[in-house]
Amino acid sequence: MKVGDRRQIVVAADAEALARLAAQRLIARIELHRERPAICLTGGSGPQRMFELLATEFADRIPWARVHWFISDERFVPFDDPLSNMGTIRRVLLDGRAPPDNIHAIPAGDSASPDEAAQRCERDLQTFYGATALDPARPLFDLVLGGVGPDGHTASLFPGWPQLEVTDRWAAGVDTAHVAPFVPRITLTFPALASCSEMLFLVHGAAKREIVGRIFAGADLPAGRARSNGETTWLITEDALPEAVRDR
Ligand code: 6PG
């Protein structure tokens, strides 16, 4: 389903179907990039089943030595804290499969402040990219995964927060979260997230129906603003899809 604003909606029957479709799209993006694919993962519940599938039945389809893994946002907690996004993904998916040098965690666990962690994250991204300015013709990431929070946030870009307006940095510190868990965060900014071949939102569960409806009705919320310079797809389960969006 095309929604007329450069976004596409793909409907999955349920959370299991969504996880399988997402895993297949992630692998397809890796296959399109013959050298050094860059995948930007996300925290939250949305991708957890996909991570399990990638670690098990899809594991043989990933050229682990070549793929580099990033994260769209991080909580300012130690690496082994259960709230750490990359810590969780390492345990479920990356550890023992991805070479350690290919795992680009945001350095929340050993930075003095969210801003310092954001600066170190930006330097790591720029070293990987090989430039300090993003070239629209050369995406930073092959795939950026996203989710939507109950308040319409994505990554740690919260409604009304100043990080939404940051256009000259690739990552930013966020001193106060807008929703639980109320720990400081580090987030990639809109321009860094947009520099991808595909941005793929994963949304499941009836609790998401209202916020999805608001976003596609045009509310100015971060998850609605987030767009890839390439393709932007929302992968939504039947139970999270509002009637008004289905009928578009
Ligand atoms: C985080 C996430 C966040 C998440 C949304 C949706 O660190 O919390 O990166 O942006 O994607 O809150 O989360 P769910 O998938 O759990 O609804």
Side-chain angles (χ1 to χ4, degrees):
M1 185 184 325
K2 293 265 183 204
V3 287
D5 55 9
R6 292 171 48 219
R7 288 180 294 191
Q8 190 187 24
I9 295 176
V10 175
V11 183
D14 54 28
E16 181 66 17
L18 175 138
R20 285 179 179 277
L21 272 170
Q24 283 157 3
R25 289 180 84 111
L26 184 147
I27 288 166
R29 281 290 160 195
I30 290 173
E31 285 170 352
L32 281 172
H33 195 132
R34 300 222 150 266
E35 290 155 29
R36 215 174 44 147
I39 307 294
C40 185
L41 303 170
T42 187
S45 63
Q48 295 304 321
R49 175 63 183 146
M50 181 194 71
F51 294 151
E52 286 171 17
L53 290 171
L54 293 172
T56 53
E57 66 177 89
F58 290 88
D60 290 350
R61 295 183 51 195
I62 298 177
W64 292 98
R66 291 197 292 116
V67 184
H68 285 251
W69 307 92
F70 299 83
I71 185 88
S72 64
D73 73 316
E74 189 52 276
R75 286 87 180 262
F76 190 64
V77 294
F79 293 118
D80 59 358
D81 189 296
L83 288 178
S84 167
N85 281 339
M86 194 53 121
T88 305
I89 297 170
R90 289 185 75 129
R91 283 189 291 281
V92 177
L93 174 63
L94 300 177
D95 282 349
R97 297 185 184 85
D101 286 351
N102 293 15
I103 303 173
H104 300 259
I106 294 176
D110 59 358
S111 293
S113 66
D115 281 344
E116 182 190 310
Q119 283 166 20
R120 290 173 62 197
C121 166
E122 181 175 89
R123 279 200 294 276
D124 178 47
L125 286 167
Q126 293 179 345
T127 301
F128 178 82
Y129 188 65
T132 55
L134 291 163
D135 174 354
R138 187 167 70 87
L140 171 59
F141 300 116
D142 293 280
L143 180 72
V144 168
L145 293 174
V148 55
D151 56 351
H153 79 261
T154 193
S156 284
L157 293 163
F158 294 109
W161 261 222
Q163 293 78 17
L164 302 191
E165 312 311 327
V166 175
T167 54
D168 59 345
R169 306 303 307 251
W170 297 18
V174 183
D175 287 333
T176 317
H178 191 249
V179 292
F182 291 101
V183 290
R185 318 281 186 101
I186 301 98
T187 188
L188 299 201
T189 57
F190 281 128
L193 293 170
S195 181
C196 62
S197 302
E198 180 179 2
M199 186 179 287
L200 182 64
F201 283 88
L202 306 181
V203 186
H204 69 81
K208 292 288 162 77
R209 201 182 302 137
E210 195 219 329
I211 195 68
V212 170
R214 287 178 61 201
I215 285 169
F216 283 93
D220 183 18
L221 291 166
R225 273 203 218 176
R227 294 276 197 295
S228 167
N229 294 334
E231 292 175 28
T232 305
T233 301
W234 282 64
L235 191 44
I236 306 178
T237 53
E238 285 280 357
D239 60 354
L241 191 70
E243 284 301 321
V245 177
R246 188 191 307 270
D247 295 343
R248 283 168 77 128

